[in-house]
Amino acid sequence: MVMVQATYHFPRGFLWGTATSAHQVEGNNTNNNWWKWEEEGHTKGKSGPACDWWNGRWREDFDRAAESGQNTHRLSVEWSRIQPTPDKWDEDALEKYRTMLRGLKERGMTPMVTLHHYTDPLWLTEQGAWETEAVVPLFDKFVRRTVDALKEYCTLWCTVNEPTGYALNGYVAGGVGVWPPGKNSLRLAMQVQANFIRGHAAAYRAIHQIQPEARVGYAHHYRSIAPYYAWSPLDKFVAHNFFSGINVGFVSALATGVMRSPLGSVRIPEAKGAQDYFGFNYYTREYVTFDLSRPGTLFGRNFYRKDAELSDNGFLANEPEGMFEGLKWIVRTFPNLPILVTENGINSADDHLRPRYIAQHIHQMWRAVNFNWPIKGYFHWSLVDNFEWDRAWTLCFGLWALNLETQKRTKRPSADFYAEICKENGLSSEMVQKYCPEVFDKIFPS
Ligand code: BGC
């Protein structure tokens, strides 16, 4: 049999990189809600020194990224470092971030900065964080100060990362994990989401005032959701509610100025059109079935397909088609809006699953590009193993493995695979043959 030989190329100037977040890599972020949550024993371990970026180890990791052909990196800044108390701004912290961004530029990489990635300063938590609208002017102020300090090095901004993840994991029991503040109220979750939308809209305008050429968006956690029994009206109904609770709120607000949620609608007119690109985070697909014992999640119970290929600890299922389906939904909702895949990745400590996960998802992204959908870049999660929230160090998402004690990094085969993709600006049959021959026929059918 003759093997197909081909390369799936991406448009010139495509961004290839990885994503990280402050609390997950910096270490010793003692002044935020997550540190406290860890100290209280809610997590499987503590962030501690994390990847030691705050002491400068970002340098060696940026070297690794640049040598691997990555031309961009998405990182986040830690609000509690920049504004440790409501009336104090830490200029040294801002200077450190400036140095890091300059470090990316010096390595030929385009910096992308996320302004909020799950963590809140403790002083904000004490005021109810995102539960009340009072957060909006506070976030606006923080964003202005930060963007003003970093604007020399960055024009690509992500206001908030996965606000729905924050709201559901923190406010709906039975969610993916238990996150701070560990409350149980769907109503509060929707309120939190609405305030994130308001905060995003304020930040969008603030950034453009300071830097007219800025490109501003947020990172949306797209979860593919399907009814378990496609024929069942009840399963369809609960799946619809799940889809709406997870995916629709932010998207509807940006598309129409009205946030739609399973609990009703909220008018947020200032949100309409407040984005220059759509930030798309994709990991997996879930199935939902009707279950009377689950009133807290509107009678939906979610799980992975029985025969799905699961990652370590059953955390994620490898469901590449969900990525294409999600991109299609976004393109239909926001025609012509550029899209960045701001996160995609899998936890696989021994790396047996990651190469094919990468190949299959990049293949789906390539299919989307071939419909001329305006996808401009891809950020793999993540560069190096980092603190994985409630699961702490039990899930390994890095292209490089991390030994927390010694801080030694060890390259996984996926790092070489991804480097070949970045350098080629495409995925070739030779690469798939070399790193994950088991999915060759799926990606290059003869
Ligand atoms: C989050 C990351 C997290 C990753 C893997 C994403 O939803 O933005 O912070 O590490 O998922 O769980």
Side-chain angles (χ1 to χ4, degrees):
M1 197 180 86
V2 186
M3 280 265 250
V4 176
Q5 279 207 326
T7 302
Y8 295 146
H9 276 119
F10 283 81
R12 198 169 305 161
F14 200 81
L15 292 173
W16 291 104
T18 48
T20 54
S21 93
H23 190 72
Q24 296 180 268
V25 294
E26 285 179 357
N28 297 307
N29 273 321
T30 57
N31 191 22
N32 69 25
N33 58 336
W34 266 93
W35 188 272
K36 183 158 176 271
W37 192 247
E38 294 160 33
E39 289 296 312
E40 289 168 359
H42 299 286
T43 54
K44 289 200 168 146
K46 298 182 182 181
S47 54
C51 309
D52 202 27
W53 277 25
W54 201 247
N55 285 326
R57 237 180 259 267
W58 56 267
R59 289 189 178 81
E60 54 169 288
D61 287 332
F62 288 1
D63 283 344
R64 289 184 177 93
E67 281 157 19
S68 313
Q70 297 177 28
N71 58 20
T72 186
H73 184 76
R74 171 176 172 236
L75 56 78
S76 84
V77 291
E78 174 61 34
W79 188 349
S80 66
R81 285 198 188 274
I82 294 174
Q83 193 179 9
T85 55
D87 51 2
K88 191 175 164 228
W89 300 95
D90 187 335
E91 295 302 331
D92 292 342
L94 284 168
E95 192 49 43
K96 211 168 233 189
Y97 286 122
R98 284 165 59 83
T99 312
M100 285 167 76
L101 298 184
R102 200 179 319 125
L104 286 174
K105 290 228 152 183
E106 285 162 2
R107 290 165 178 79
M109 297 162 79
T110 302
M112 176 174 196
V113 172
T114 305
L115 292 152
H116 185 280
H117 195 124
Y118 293 155
T119 54
D120 297 318
L122 276 177
W123 59 262
L124 187 71
T125 308
E126 281 152 23
Q127 301 175 27
W130 295 83
E131 291 171 23
T132 77
E133 259 188 82
V135 68
V136 178
L138 297 171
F139 185 58
D140 180 84
K141 212 164 149 197
F142 157 70
V143 167
R144 284 175 192 274
R145 187 79 181 222
T146 304
V147 169
D148 198 50
L150 307 184
K151 63 177 191 257
E152 187 181 345
Y153 302 107
C154 180
T155 55
L156 187 52
W157 305 94
C158 172
T159 56
V160 293
N161 179 72
E162 300 193 353
T164 315
Y166 175 111
L168 293 178
N169 290 323
Y171 290 86
V172 185
V176 181
V178 180
W179 289 11
K183 294 192 181 173
N184 184 9
S185 158
L186 199 53
R187 189 189 53 78
L188 263 184
M190 292 302 131
Q191 203 166 299
V192 163
Q193 176 160 287
N195 289 326
F196 266 111
I197 295 172
R198 297 183 180 105
H200 162 78
Y204 178 83
R205 300 224 152 69
I207 299 170
H208 275 289
Q209 267 172 23
I210 296 167
Q211 191 186 52
E213 72 276 24
R215 285 163 300 158
V216 187
Y218 78 104
H220 179 94
H221 182 96
Y222 180 85
R223 197 85 164 178
S224 173
I225 302 287
Y228 184 58
Y229 291 114
W231 48 264
S232 156
L234 281 177
D235 280 14
K236 273 199 221 162
F237 176 71
V238 287
H240 173 81
N241 274 339
F242 255 71
F243 187 85
S244 154
I246 295 173
N247 292 315
V248 173
F250 243 80
V251 166
S252 57
L254 292 180
T256 66
V258 178
M259 175 186 110
R260 288 196 281 119
S261 87
L263 301 186
S265 297
V266 184
R267 269 174 45 77
I268 310 176
E270 69 272 26
K272 188 174 173 185
Q275 58 182 351
D276 306 315
Y277 67 86
F278 192 87
F280 182 85
N281 290 4
Y282 178 78
Y283 287 88
T284 196
R285 162 185 287 165
E286 280 179 304
Y287 290 79
V288 185
T289 197
F290 181 79
D291 184 339
L292 260 181
S293 70
R294 299 287 176 103
T297 50
L298 302 177
F299 303 106
R301 182 164 53 83
N302 54 320
F303 46 85
Y304 294 131
R305 190 159 55 87
K306 270 199 207 75
D307 49 349
E309 186 170 52
L310 299 185
S311 68
D312 301 349
N313 301 335
F315 188 62
L316 293 169
N318 179 18
E319 296 273 12
E321 288 82 11
M323 181 164 181
F324 181 83
E325 161 216 293
L327 290 168
K328 183 166 164 185
W329 183 63
I330 292 307
V331 168
R332 288 193 175 159
T333 313
F334 302 110
N336 303 320
L337 185 70
I339 298 173
L340 290 171
V341 175
T342 33
E343 283 178 35
N344 171 245
I346 190 107
N347 59 308
S348 180
D350 67 5
D351 211 39
H352 77 281
L353 186 50
R354 191 175 288 101
R356 63 177 174 270
Y357 183 95
I358 291 179
Q360 290 180 281
H361 286 78
I362 288 179
H363 175 226
Q364 293 298 328
M365 181 169 71
W366 178 82
R367 285 182 60 216
V369 165
N370 272 276
F371 283 99
N372 264 330
W373 298 349
I375 301 164
K376 306 293 183 190
Y378 173 89
F379 295 78
H380 188 75
W381 186 276
S382 179
L383 180 54
V384 57
D385 288 347
N386 54 53
F387 177 71
E388 188 50 38
W389 307 114
D390 53 311
R391 320 279 174 130
W393 300 98
T394 62
L395 306 182
C396 303
F397 275 90
L399 293 173
W400 272 264
L402 172 78
N403 179 319
L404 188 62
E405 267 87 66
T406 62
Q407 285 294 324
K408 191 173 172 303
R409 277 83 165 141
T410 309
K411 191 161 70 170
R412 294 193 167 103
S414 288
D416 286 329
F417 179 26
Y418 189 54
E420 288 191 35
I421 294 171
C422 297
K423 289 176 185 168
E424 178 64 37
N425 192 24
L427 175 71
S428 75
S429 48
E430 284 86 352
M431 294 175 201
V432 172
Q433 189 55 37
K434 179 164 156 198
Y435 293 99
C436 45
E438 70 280 10
V439 291
F440 190 92
D441 291 340
K442 286 190 179 151
I443 298 179
F444 294 98
S446 45

